[in-house]
């Protein structure tokens, strides 16, 4: 016959401790916070390249408006944004019978200036000048030049492309014709 096993006092306490230990909540050990990782500064993005247009007449117009004023020796038409220095201007010199086209900017010496119209496209030599306290590139044309007529009637706009400078896409407004006619 098998005899039931009796538990001793010590073994009863051990069993009780195991039962209590099995019922208690597990001990939670906090996970240490991760060390911050030093990040390299984000690289500076390269400037976006200027958009290219298959046809210069599709490029957005240079912002601004024309203004005209009569001078003692001819007329002056200026183009630019209100309250800012003009980016381009044309001036008649009646005595010399020339119309000079100025484009704001500076250069160390003569450089090519391409003027595009709807019907003509020519490259001129532009000379750096100080015009009224501001730097400009000047291109003088004889007042009788048919190229001036091409600028005046060029399907709403013409372009001035100067080496090393952003192109200008200028509207052909009546102020241009007034300056040309002042010299003829």
């Amino acid at each position: 016959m098998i005899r039931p096993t009796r538990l001793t006092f010590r073994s009863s306490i051990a069993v009780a401790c195991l039962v209590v230990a099995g019922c208690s909540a597990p001990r939670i050990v906090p996970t240490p916070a991760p060390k911050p990782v030093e990040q390299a500064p984000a690289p500076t993005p390269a400037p976006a390249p200027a958009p290219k247009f298959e046809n210069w007449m599709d490029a957005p117009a240079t912002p601004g408006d024309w203004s005209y004023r009569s001078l003692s020796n001819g007329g002056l038409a200026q183009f630019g944004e209100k309250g800012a220095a003009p980016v381009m201007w044309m001036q008649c010199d009646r005595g010399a019978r020339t119309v000079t086209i100025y484009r704001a900017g500076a250069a160390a010496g003569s450089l090519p200036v391409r003027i595009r119209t709807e019907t003509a496209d020519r490259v001129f030599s532009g000379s750096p000048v100080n015009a009224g306290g501001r730097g400009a590139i000047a291109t003088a044309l004889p007042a009788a030049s048919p190229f001036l007529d091409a600028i005046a009637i060029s399907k709403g706009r013409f372009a001035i492309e100067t080496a090393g400078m952003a192109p200008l896409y200028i509207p052909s407004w009546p102020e241009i014709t007034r300056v040309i006619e002042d010299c003829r």
Side-chain angles (χ1 to χ4, degrees):
M1 185 164 165
I2 300 178
R3 269 175 107 178
T5 318
R6 285 185 150 189
L7 294 175
T8 63
F9 180 72
R10 279 189 176 167
S11 30
S12 300
I13 292 194
V15 169
C17 284
L18 285 174
V19 168
V20 170
C23 292
S24 67
R27 182 173 168 222
I28 299 174
V29 177
T31 305
K35 293 182 181 177
V37 177
E38 282 191 36
Q39 295 180 346
T44 303
K52 301 270 183 183
F53 297 92
E54 199 169 301
N55 183 345
W56 66 270
M57 292 189 83
D58 295 333
T62 301
D65 290 311
W66 280 102
S67 64
Y68 172 87
R69 68 181 168 151
S70 183
L71 303 174
S72 61
N73 195 25
L76 170 68
Q78 298 179 313
F79 181 83
E81 292 187 79
K82 188 173 185 153
V87 294
M88 188 256 150
W89 59 101
M90 296 175 72
Q91 186 168 351
C92 163
D93 180 344
R94 205 175 283 128
R97 298 194 43 83
T98 59
V99 173
T100 303
I101 300 169
Y102 296 92
R103 186 248 154 79
S110 294
L111 66 161
V113 175
R114 169 173 262 148
I115 301 177
R116 297 177 185 256
T117 72
E118 177 188 12
T119 60
D121 183 334
R122 289 200 32 210
V123 176
F124 300 93
S125 178
S127 302
V129 296
N130 183 345
R134 55 187 173 226
I137 309 302
T139 304
L141 300 174
S145 171
F147 194 78
L148 290 171
D149 297 318
I151 292 172
I153 62 167
S154 182
K155 197 175 184 178
R157 66 166 53 192
F158 63 99
I160 298 177
E161 299 169 352
T162 308
M165 299 178 189
L168 299 175
Y169 303 105
I170 308 293
S172 296
W173 288 1
E175 290 82 355
I176 294 170
T177 303
R178 286 184 73 180
V179 169
I180 296 167
E181 292 302 316
D182 284 347
C183 274
R184 290 186 172 167

